């Protein structure tokens, strides 16, 4: 049966929505920067009432909110008042966990400017971040503390949504020392220590990131250390488990091997490597890891890997892949032992 005119129109309109998909992150970031979720959390308001509170242009703001309501972020009633929705709740500054900081950095001009040049990266087989901003992502952050802070908070916010279920997906035995390599502000390590009695932890990240860590809570006293350093050079020695979560996908294979090598040299005898990342399935189905993989392309030289990709990377680094443990999040735990 041939396609009806209506079906054709529907298909075109759906594709056009995807073509305009770049507008959603910008509209969301605008609403968050104008504190709309926090204001609406106190009760429904019209765009004019919101504009009184945040200084925006009421007519422009109304158009942004009307569009976001088509994506279930906010709901407009017949009197023109906007309400919170379960999706909007996730963007409140006091939500636990909150996607606010993640949405803010994902649509930051620094990221979108590079993403607009995806074509150049695909032709060159290399990230365009350096072409656009003059230096690589992490060096850029060293010279731009405002963006660096936004990036670190965004990563931490995203991680908070999955850290507890990842920590619960692996049996860390009492007495073990877990080193979180590039562990950000320590969200995963905190979940590991909270959920596994008698385990000790060491957080390693860059100095300015470790400075803002979240491990200093009375319940975990005496069970952790926070260390500033460079994982391309060395990582703290003597650990039983070296967790590397959402780090390898930021680096070229050469640098990824340097990080794995630093872990292999540092680990106690019988130690294990636990890479936590998406494992990309070979199918046509939606998988958040496929989107995340594309997100890496304009900003860093890393990528998400398939199971075979992890096996090959581990072999080059002197590890044998022993298990892939799925978790309730889209990230899996890829476990390896030294060969
Ligand atoms: C994408 S974030 C992942 C953070 C954390 N593991 C998580 O899952 O939320 C990558 C981390 O690597 C850290 N990093 C980048 N270069 C580093 C280096 N040379 N040495 C140590 N940490 C580094 C960053 O500061 C950042 O916290």
């Amino acid at each position: 049966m041939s396609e009806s005119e209506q079906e054709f129109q529907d298909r075109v309109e759906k594709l056009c929505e995807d073509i305009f998909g770049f507008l959603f992150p910008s509209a969301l970031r605008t609403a968050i920067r104008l504190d709309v979720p926090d204001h609406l959390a106190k009760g429904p308001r019209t765009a004019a009432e919101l504009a009184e509170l945040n200084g925006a242009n009421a007519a422009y703001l109304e158009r942004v909110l009307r569009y976001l309501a088509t994506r279930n972020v906010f709901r407009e009633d017949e009197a023109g008042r906007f309400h919170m929705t379960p999706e909007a709740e996730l963007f409140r500054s006091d939500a636990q966990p909150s996607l606010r900081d993640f949405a803010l950095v994902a649509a930051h001009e620094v990221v979108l400017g590079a993403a607009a040049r995806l074509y150049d990266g695909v032709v060159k087989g290399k990230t365009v971040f350096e072409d656009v901003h003059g230096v690589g992502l992490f060096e850029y952050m060293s010279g731009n503390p405002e963006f660096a802070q936004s990036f670190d908070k965004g990563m931490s916010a995203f991680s908070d949504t999955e850290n507890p279920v990842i920590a619960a997906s692996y049996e860390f035995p009492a007495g073990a020392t877990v080193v979180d390599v590039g562990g950000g502000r320590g969200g995963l390590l905190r979940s590991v220590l909270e959920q596994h009695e008698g385990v000790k932890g060491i957080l390693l990240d860059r100095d300015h990131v470790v400075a803002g860590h979240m491990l200093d809570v009375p319940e975990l006293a005496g069970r952790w250390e926070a260390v500033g350093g460079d994982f391309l050079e060395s990582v703290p020695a003597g650990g039983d488990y070296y967790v590397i979560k959402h780090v390898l996908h930021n680096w070229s294979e050469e640098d990824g091997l340097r990080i794995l090598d630093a872990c292999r040299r540092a680990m106690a005898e019988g130690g294990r490597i636990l890479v936590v990342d998406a494992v990309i399935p070979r199918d046509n189905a939606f998988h958040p890891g496929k989107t995340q993989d594309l997100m890496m392309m304009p900003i860093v030289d890393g990528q998400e890997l398939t199971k075979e990709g992890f096996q090959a990377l581990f072999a080059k680094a002197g590890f044998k892949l022993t298990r892939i443990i799925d978790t309730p999040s889209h990230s899996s735990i890829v476990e390896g032992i030294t060969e």
Side-chain angles (χ1 to χ4, degrees), residues 7-313:
E7 283 168 340
F8 174 74
Q9 288 303 323
D10 290 348
R11 202 152 51 89
V12 168
E13 275 168 22
K14 188 174 174 311
L15 271 175
C16 286
E17 273 308 291
D18 285 344
I19 289 168
F20 284 132
F22 67 93
L23 291 169
F24 177 73
S26 292
L28 182 60
R29 184 167 192 265
T30 300
I32 295 172
R33 288 186 71 193
L34 289 166
D35 296 323
V36 174
D38 285 355
H39 289 312
L40 291 185
K42 295 182 190 126
R45 288 195 162 86
T46 62
E49 288 165 344
L50 285 166
E52 290 274 310
L53 296 168
N54 59 25
N57 177 287
Y60 273 57
L61 179 60
E62 183 167 28
R63 290 158 63 194
V64 169
L65 300 183
R66 179 174 68 191
Y67 164 83
L68 287 171
T70 68
R71 303 291 192 282
N72 296 329
V73 181
F74 314 124
R75 177 178 65 77
E76 186 179 9
D77 66 21
E78 284 174 1
R81 285 175 313 186
F82 289 92
H83 297 246
M84 291 299 272
T85 59
E87 284 77 6
E89 292 288 344
L90 278 169
F91 300 108
R92 286 171 61 164
S93 53
D94 59 354
Q96 269 309 336
S98 169
L99 283 174
R100 180 182 186 278
D101 291 320
F102 182 62
L104 284 177
V105 73
H108 196 288
E109 291 88 340
V110 170
V111 176
L112 291 189
R117 298 262 304 268
L118 193 65
Y119 170 89
D120 296 347
V122 172
V123 171
K124 287 200 314 191
K126 199 171 167 11
T127 182
V128 292
F129 194 92
E130 203 167 325
D131 296 348
V132 178
H133 297 293
V135 284
L137 175 71
F138 291 106
E139 207 180 330
Y140 179 87
M141 286 202 275
S142 306
N144 291 274
E146 178 268 328
F147 176 71
Q149 206 195 25
S150 179
F151 183 88
D152 295 337
K153 280 167 74 181
M155 290 307 110
S156 185
F158 171 72
S159 284
D160 286 348
T161 64
E162 59 175 11
N163 284 334
V165 293
I166 290 171
S169 299
Y170 195 85
E171 278 304 314
F172 294 100
T177 298
V178 177
V179 183
D180 195 353
V181 177
R185 303 195 308 152
L188 177 64
L189 194 56
R190 182 166 161 168
S191 290
V192 167
L193 299 182
E194 282 168 351
Q195 295 183 30
H196 301 274
E197 254 177 62
V199 169
K200 290 195 167 189
I202 305 175
L203 172 68
L204 170 84
D205 208 289
R206 294 172 301 152
D207 289 325
H208 79 269
V209 180
V210 167
H213 74 76
M214 52 173 85
L215 295 168
D216 200 2
V217 289
E219 310 84 87
L220 302 180
R223 293 176 58 198
W224 56 269
E225 265 178 75
V227 181
D230 181 356
F231 54 38
L232 293 169
E233 300 300 329
S234 65
V235 300
D240 303 296
Y241 296 89
Y242 284 75
V243 178
I244 315 180
K245 172 165 162 280
H246 298 332
V247 165
L248 289 185
H249 67 188
N250 291 155
W251 298 88
S252 64
E253 181 177 287
E254 188 187 346
D255 285 331
L257 287 170
R258 280 177 72 184
I259 299 167
L260 288 169
D261 185 54
C263 294
R264 196 173 41 74
R265 282 184 276 122
M267 66 181 44
E269 208 179 319
R272 281 163 201 253
I273 196 95
L274 303 176
V275 175
V276 183
D277 262 321
V279 178
I280 301 292
R282 287 205 177 277
D283 58 26
N284 293 308
F286 165 75
H287 188 287
K290 294 177 187 174
T291 311
Q292 196 168 289
D293 178 56
L294 207 54
M295 184 60 245
M296 294 301 135
M297 209 181 266
I299 59 171
V300 286
D301 270 327
Q303 61 174 309
E304 308 295 341
L305 297 173
T306 59
K307 178 183 172 193
E308 294 73 26
F310 274 112
Q311 273 166 334
L313 182 74

